[in-house]
Amino acid sequence: YGESVAVDGLDLVVAPGRFFGLLGPNGSGKTTTLQMLATLLRPSGGHARVAGFDTVRDPIEVRRRIGFVFQESALDRTLTVAENLRFAGMLHGLSASETRRRWTSLLDLFDMGDRRDTPVAALSGGQRRALDIIRGVLHEPAVLLLDEPTIGLDLPIRRRIWRFIETLRVRNAMSVVLTTHYLEEADPCDQVAFIRRGKLVSTGAPADLVAALGQRIVEFETDRAEAVVAAVGDALGTPPVRDGRTLLYRVATDDSAALAALQDRVGAAATATRVRRPNLGDVFLWVHAGEAAT
C-alpha cells in the first residue's frame, strides 16, 4: 500500500483438508493475505496457488473453489434470506432446486428454517453471521477463508458456528484458513502461523507452540513494574512481557517450592500473583512483543 509493506516474504503451505490459523496483532497482514489468496488483491511480488491454481493466472478457477467470509457482512440487507442464498447459488452455477436443497439443511442447522423469507435487515447479528457463513459454503468449496468470522458474537453462537464449520470440514475434506483474535478458536487448528509486520514469526501445531513457552506462566499484577523486575532478577531466565498492569514471565519449571519462593521475593511489589499453564494467548503476547515462541 504505497510505501507500506503489509505482507513481506510470507511463505506458507496449507495441506488439503487441514484447519490452519493465521494469527497476529492488528495490522500484521492477515486480511491482506486472505484477500490475495481470494484474488481480491494482486500481489506485488511472489505467487500463490489455491487448490492447485495460480491466483494471478487463474483467478476464475480459484474463485470457483473458495468460499470467503469477510470481517464485515457482505449480505444484501434489503433481500430476504432465500434471495441472498439464491443469488449466491446462481453465481456458482447451481440450479434453483439444488440451491434450495442445500440451503434447507444448512438453515436447519442454525434453527433458521423459518427465516428464509425474512429480510436480512430483520435478523439478529448472530443470525446474519450464520447466514454469511452459510452463503460462503453453499457451493461446497474446496477452501474456506474465514476472516474474523465470529467477531462480536456471544459464546453460544460462536460455539454453534464452529461445530457447523468442523462438521463441514470433516465431511467435505475442506481446507479452512482462519484469522481470529479469539485465540481459543485456533486451539483446534492442525497448524497455526503467527505473523508480525507482514513476516512469519512462528509456526507449528498449537500444542507445540504452547509447550515451547515453558511449564508455567507467572503473572504479577503491579503498579511497580520496575520493583517486580528487580526482585525477579534473572531467576526465570527470560524477560517478561507486559499486558496492561500485568507482567508475565515464562517459567521452565513447575517446581511449586521454587515458584512460592519467587512470590516471596516479589512480595508487596505485586498486588496479585497467579501461576498457571500457558495457552495460545500467551504465544500471541510474546509474538506481539517481538519474540518468537520457539
Side-chain angles (χ1 to χ4, degrees):
Y1 302 100
E3 295 184 358
S4 175
V5 179
V7 178
D8 189 1
L10 186 62
D11 191 2
L12 301 172
V13 176
V14 181
R18 305 295 275 177
F19 186 13
F20 185 89
L22 186 62
L23 309 175
N26 287 331
S28 59
K30 303 184 299 296
T31 294
T32 296
T33 299
L34 290 194
Q35 290 181 342
M36 288 190 292
L37 293 176
T39 77
L40 299 176
L41 281 178
R42 187 183 182 94
S44 53
H47 65 276
R49 298 177 69 86
V50 177
F53 294 92
D54 188 277
T55 57
V56 173
R57 292 196 303 267
D58 301 301
I60 300 302
E61 295 300 328
V62 170
R63 291 190 180 198
R64 285 176 174 150
R65 288 161 176 81
I66 66 170
F68 198 161
V69 178
F70 298 85
Q71 284 188 31
E72 300 293 333
S73 178
L75 300 169
D76 189 324
R77 295 169 64 93
T78 65
L79 300 181
T80 66
V81 168
E83 288 167 340
N84 270 277
L85 295 177
R86 187 177 299 117
F87 179 66
M90 291 171 61
L91 288 177
H92 289 285
L94 298 177
S95 68
S97 60
E98 178 63 12
T99 300
R100 281 194 300 272
R101 183 188 70 79
R102 294 187 185 188
W103 88 41
T104 297
S105 61
L106 294 173
L107 289 173
D108 285 345
L109 285 172
F110 286 98
D111 298 328
M112 290 177 59
D114 61 346
R115 294 283 190 169
R116 63 183 184 181
D117 296 320
T118 302
V120 166
L123 299 177
S124 69
Q127 289 172 329
R128 285 196 298 271
R129 205 56 179 151
L131 184 58
D132 266 313
I133 294 171
I134 289 171
R135 191 183 67 166
V137 301
L138 186 68
H139 56 299
E140 299 182 352
V143 178
L144 180 61
L145 306 175
L146 301 171
D147 195 8
E148 303 281 354
T150 62
I151 191 168
L153 299 182
D154 58 29
L155 186 58
I157 298 269
R158 286 164 53 196
R159 285 177 172 170
R160 180 176 288 195
I161 284 173
W162 282 115
R163 285 195 298 267
F164 168 60
I165 290 172
E166 179 61 13
T167 297
L168 288 179
R169 190 180 71 83
V170 172
R171 186 182 72 194
N172 299 339
M174 179 177 66
S175 302
V176 176
V177 180
L178 164 74
T179 78
T180 181
H181 283 115
Y182 299 125
L183 275 298
E184 70 276 8
E185 294 185 341
D187 281 331
C189 287
D190 299 301
Q191 181 182 1
V192 297
F194 281 91
I195 60 176
R196 183 172 180 267
R197 297 177 182 171
K199 293 179 178 290
L200 180 65
V201 177
S202 186
T203 185
D208 293 340
L209 294 177
V210 171
L213 284 178
Q215 291 291 323
R216 292 287 190 273
I217 298 294
V218 180
E219 299 182 356
F220 295 109
E221 188 173 323
T222 181
D223 293 317
R224 299 167 57 195
E226 292 183 358
V228 170
V229 171
V232 172
D234 60 359
L236 298 179
T238 59
V241 298
R242 186 159 192 165
D243 185 19
R245 295 181 61 248
T246 303
L247 291 176
L248 294 89
Y249 283 88
R250 299 160 53 178
V251 183
T253 179
D254 59 0
D255 184 332
S256 58
L259 293 174
L262 179 66
Q263 294 179 53
D264 289 340
R265 288 172 58 178
V266 172
T271 56
T273 303
R274 291 175 288 274
V275 180
R276 58 173 176 79
R277 293 283 187 185
N279 56 48
L280 203 57
D282 298 315
V283 179
F284 179 92
L285 287 175
W286 261 269
V287 167
H288 189 62
E291 297 183 33
T294 57

